[in-house]
Amino acid sequence: MTDTILEVRNLSVQFQTEGQRVQAVDQVSFTLPRGQTLGIVGESGSGKSVTALSVMRLVPTPPGRITQGEIWFQDHSEQARQRIDLLKLPLSAMQAYRGSQISMIFQEPMSSLNPVYTCGFQLVEALRLHTQVSVAEARRRAIALLQEVKLIPPDRELYRSMVEIPQIASDAEIEKKIQDPKIQKQINRQKQSYLNRYPHQLSGGQIQRVMIAMAIASNPAILIADEPTTALDVTVQATILDLLRELRDQRKMSIIFVTHDLGIIAELADTVAVMYQGRIVETGSAQQIFENPQHPYTRGLLACRPRPQQRLKRLPTIADFMNAVSSDSPALVADQLSSSPPSPQSTSTNPADFSEEISAQHMQQRLSELTQKAPLLTVNNLQVFFPVKGMFGKTARYVTAVNDVSFEVYPGETLGLVGESGCGKTTLGRTLVRLIKPTRGTILFAGRDITTLRGKPLRTLRHNLQIIFQDPYSSLDPRMNVGAAIMEPMRIADGITNRLAQGNGRGNPRDRAAYLLERVGLNPDDMRRYPHEFSGGQRQRICIARALALNPQFVICDESVSALDVSVQAQVLNLLKELQSEFNLTYIFISHDLSVVKFMSDRIMVMNHGKLEEIGAADQIYHHPQAEYTRKLIDSIPTGLPTQSQSA
């Protein structure tokens, strides 16, 4: 057992909710070798995060309770050097292990940091909690940690940013310069400025780096990363994965990486445990899991993520592999989990076996037919500036969010809009529906200039222009039941009854809401329920139903699947395609994930720093990108295959 740093045996966790017991984790067992990465993968509700919290003894009590099991940790600290069962430790003794020897990166970094304290203060606090050092020494170590996680640039880069240096200057020449005490003082002042920043002043990727720095502050033996890249740009996600790999190898640290995306697991993990309904249904090396998955649930997770190399008419879903096993039928779930591997006829992991592939010739013909029509939306030289206030509330300068963007969208088309966070995608989408006032340029919808519309004409226009927001929970009123949320736009709209009667569904708002709920895969009886009673995927379906309430022609999908499990994401993407065909919709589909955009889109538009990098047919953009920035986005897409070191 000397090479095993953590062994979990028969772990079970229950939650008591409204008089019922929910078995969140059921007889889970696994081992974690020293210096390796264990990937725990599964959908939301599979028990993976509860398993990770159990290792830290952080399961909330009540309502949660660890009912049985053992968690053996091989303590190699100088004070102990023994193997202990963490579940038998008193809470006071367990606190000595949290953060110092077993540390955790939580899923939502912004909610994990206190917004009223600077990042430096919180990092220094973590350091002083586990090490007996002065404030000055803690700040010095905090700067070193932020440089290690590559949030603070190296001294040479800081010096280059401070003064004009010829690019031909060698590192040795620069190193000699920065030894000057005056220059060192300036560099240190630059470093200190990073410690003085608040969480809201950092991007999502930067905040995640601060969380990683806090987690490794005491040089832990085990790092637990719970969905550390969810909803991050693919480029930022790639840098975080590279960073974790580098830290693991440099510090000889073991990692438990929790995620719903097997594509990410392939980039990092040595061994993989697949969880479903609180149980581990399959475990093995990364190469075994990806080359020869045995359980249908594993094959479903592998297949339901869009593959940029193929264009499918419909994405496979978990139900295709699990024979629609219902989570409401525990007995059926148990039978499915205990069943033998499926027959060889159904063991393929190729999504094309479950879905029709669309040929390049078909896409060319479709694009030709679409572009022969008059454009539904025409955007010319659009610019959006945001003022930055200075002293006494006066405008000091402007930030350019959208910079001279022009394009057209044709009826029935899906135009994909891709780029990193901050590139202007969401601002552009909201400007098109006039939630943001454009600074310059023109927007034509169905040949009509809508750039300066106000009042009733603008409200009438929005019957035809709708948007599905990124966060389904915050875009639904928690005090309003689902039926009321869907009927609200119909009740506000003027003379909408006749318009709805001409579209799909009935003219009566309640009948229309019931029809739309059923059409997006929910029960009409759900109209009485409230948003908090639904899962993330179900809430997104409700938002889609609400966007279709007024029978629009044009819908903007703003990162509408970015934070969903890959399996739920596949269901929502399939649904959007079906609804486009049924309701004759035109989409602008916004995302940072080029693989998802390519599955949905006829053409793709790439944005960077508010400007249009390139626009063209989806297959052309993916296979033959013209811009270096587009190639960078494509290279950052998880391959879904183990790395060379893992396969060896």
Side-chain angles (χ1 to χ4, degrees), residues 379-384 402-407 439-442:
V379 178
N380 293 315
N381 308 115
L382 189 68
Q383 293 182 315
V384 180
V402 178
N403 191 0
D404 198 27
V405 170
S406 301
F407 62 93
T439 307
R440 296 189 188 123
T442 58

Side-chain angles (χ1 to χ4, degrees), residues 475-488:
S475 61
L476 292 171
D477 190 334
R479 302 166 298 177
M480 188 180 289
N481 65 38
V482 165
I486 297 174
M487 289 186 286
E488 183 183 34

Side-chain angles (χ1 to χ4, degrees), residues 469-631:
F469 295 99
Q470 179 173 357
D471 184 353
Y473 192 76
S474 63
S475 61
L476 292 171
D477 190 334
R479 302 166 298 177
M480 188 180 289
N481 65 38
V482 165
I486 297 174
M487 289 186 286
E488 183 183 34
M490 293 183 266
R491 288 172 173 162
I492 293 173
D494 299 321
I496 196 62
T497 304
N498 292 334
R499 175 181 169 79
L500 294 179
Q502 296 171 6
N504 291 322
R506 301 177 181 177
N508 179 275
R510 181 166 290 276
D511 292 342
R512 173 76 171 171
Y515 165 75
L516 288 172
L517 278 176
E518 188 173 20
R519 188 60 196 85
V520 299
L522 297 175
N523 194 318
D525 293 337
D526 291 336
M527 290 174 66
R528 301 183 186 91
R529 298 169 63 191
Y530 288 83
H532 73 272
E533 299 179 76
F534 294 89
S535 68
Q538 289 172 323
R539 285 197 292 265
Q540 196 61 279
R541 289 170 184 266
I542 293 166
C543 290
I544 293 171
R546 185 180 61 177
L548 298 178
L550 299 180
N551 197 31
Q553 293 177 267
F554 194 98
V555 179
I556 295 175
C557 305
D558 183 13
E559 298 275 13
S560 52
V561 297
S562 63
L564 299 179
D565 292 341
V566 287
S567 55
V568 179
Q569 174 181 279
Q571 296 169 13
V572 173
L573 292 176
N574 289 337
L575 173 63
L576 288 171
K577 281 206 163 189
E578 292 168 12
L579 293 173
Q580 182 177 37
S581 177
E582 178 178 341
F583 291 89
N584 193 28
L585 298 171
T586 303
Y587 289 145
I588 286 183
F589 190 88
I590 300 173
S591 179
H592 60 258
D593 190 338
L594 209 149
S595 60
V596 171
V597 170
K598 183 177 180 294
F599 168 75
M600 286 293 299
S601 305
D602 300 295
R603 292 185 301 145
I604 292 177
M605 182 166 67
V606 183
M607 282 188 72
N608 183 25
H609 296 304
K611 293 185 178 181
L612 181 62
E613 287 279 343
E614 60 179 309
I615 185 171
D619 291 337
Q620 175 71 24
I621 292 291
Y622 179 77
H623 294 292
H624 306 287
Q626 300 301 305
E628 179 61 32
Y629 178 74
T630 309
R631 287 192 284 271

Side-chain angles (χ1 to χ4, degrees), residues 313-369:
K313 187 174 182 180
R314 169 187 168 275
L315 283 175
T317 64
I318 296 294
D320 295 324
F321 295 82
M322 297 293 292
N323 299 318
V325 176
S326 172
S327 61
D328 296 327
S329 176
L332 190 58
V333 172
D335 291 342
Q336 177 69 32
L337 291 174
S338 60
S339 63
S340 57
S343 61
Q345 288 86 348
S346 62
T347 56
S348 175
T349 59
N350 186 356
D353 293 345
F354 294 86
S355 189
E356 179 184 350
E357 188 168 355
I358 302 174
S359 66
Q361 292 77 10
H362 176 85
M363 286 304 303
Q364 288 175 359
Q365 181 180 354
R366 173 175 163 79
L367 269 176
S368 177
E369 293 172 356

Side-chain angles (χ1 to χ4, degrees), residues 41 262 265 270-274 281-295 298-299 302 349 642:
V41 67
L262 269 166
I265 285 290
D270 299 290
T271 56
V272 179
V274 182
V281 297
E282 185 169 0
T283 186
S285 69
Q287 186 174 7
Q288 290 171 342
I289 294 295
F290 282 87
E291 292 183 358
N292 188 27
Q294 297 299 305
H295 197 275
T298 311
R299 294 200 298 275
L302 283 166
T349 59

Side-chain angles (χ1 to χ4, degrees), residues 152-438:
I152 299 179
D155 288 0
R156 288 193 300 272
E157 291 185 24
L158 286 173
Y159 180 59
R160 281 186 181 275
S161 67
M162 289 162 47
V163 296
E164 290 289 336
I165 300 176
Q167 291 298 318
I168 58 173
S170 66
D171 288 345
E173 291 174 319
I174 297 174
E175 194 68 35
K176 184 177 180 180
K177 286 281 187 182
I178 63 178
Q179 297 304 317
D180 186 302
K182 292 183 179 179
I183 294 177
Q184 269 294 323
K185 189 175 181 179
Q186 292 178 329
I187 292 175
N188 288 335
R189 192 179 298 119
Q190 286 268 47
K191 292 178 184 177
Q192 294 286 343
S193 69
Y194 283 86
L195 296 183
N196 297 331
R197 296 182 184 181
Y198 288 87
H200 72 272
Q201 295 176 299
L202 303 178
S203 69
Q206 289 174 324
I207 294 174
Q208 198 62 283
R209 290 172 186 270
V210 173
M211 291 301 301
I212 294 173
M214 291 178 69
I216 65 173
S218 298
N219 197 27
I222 298 174
L223 177 64
I224 301 173
D226 185 10
E227 300 272 15
T229 60
T230 297
L232 293 180
D233 296 337
V234 287
T235 50
V236 179
Q237 172 183 280
T239 59
I240 294 295
L241 294 177
D242 289 340
L243 174 61
L244 289 174
R245 263 195 304 267
E246 187 178 321
L247 291 173
R248 176 195 62 189
D249 296 339
Q250 287 179 353
R251 292 172 170 255
K252 308 300 180 185
M253 185 171 58
S254 301
I255 297 177
I256 297 177
F257 194 94
V258 178
T259 184
H260 61 260
D261 192 342
L262 269 166
I264 295 175
I265 285 290
E267 301 284 321
L268 187 67
D270 299 290
T271 56
V272 179
V274 182
M275 289 193 71
Y276 177 71
Q277 295 288 321
R279 297 185 184 182
I280 292 181
V281 297
E282 185 169 0
T283 186
S285 69
Q287 186 174 7
Q288 290 171 342
I289 294 295
F290 282 87
E291 292 183 358
N292 188 27
Q294 297 299 305
H295 197 275
Y297 181 70
T298 311
R299 294 200 298 275
L301 285 176
L302 283 166
C304 63
R305 180 174 175 81
R307 299 297 178 100
Q309 297 82 2
Q310 295 176 302
R311 180 178 284 276
L312 303 178
K313 187 174 182 180
R314 169 187 168 275
L315 283 175
T317 64
I318 296 294
D320 295 324
F321 295 82
M322 297 293 292
N323 299 318
V325 176
S326 172
S327 61
D328 296 327
S329 176
L332 190 58
V333 172
D335 291 342
Q336 177 69 32
L337 291 174
S338 60
S339 63
S340 57
S343 61
Q345 288 86 348
S346 62
T347 56
S348 175
T349 59
N350 186 356
D353 293 345
F354 294 86
S355 189
E356 179 184 350
E357 188 168 355
I358 302 174
S359 66
Q361 292 77 10
H362 176 85
M363 286 304 303
Q364 288 175 359
Q365 181 180 354
R366 173 175 163 79
L367 269 176
S368 177
E369 293 172 356
L370 287 171
T371 53
Q372 286 176 4
K373 304 174 186 176
L376 181 62
L377 182 79
T378 303
V379 178
N380 293 315
N381 308 115
L382 189 68
Q383 293 182 315
V384 180
F385 299 159
F386 290 118
V388 177
K389 301 296 182 183
M391 292 183 65
F392 309 112
K394 294 184 178 180
T395 300
R397 59 189 176 90
Y398 289 90
V399 173
T400 304
V402 178
N403 191 0
D404 198 27
V405 170
S406 301
F407 62 93
E408 296 174 333
V409 186
Y410 298 92
E413 180 188 18
T414 299
L415 175 66
L417 178 53
V418 69
E420 296 175 282
S421 293
C423 72
K425 308 186 299 293
T426 295
T427 300
L428 175 60
R430 295 189 178 201
T431 304
L432 296 179
V433 295
R434 292 297 316 281
L435 293 175
I436 295 175
K437 184 179 178 180

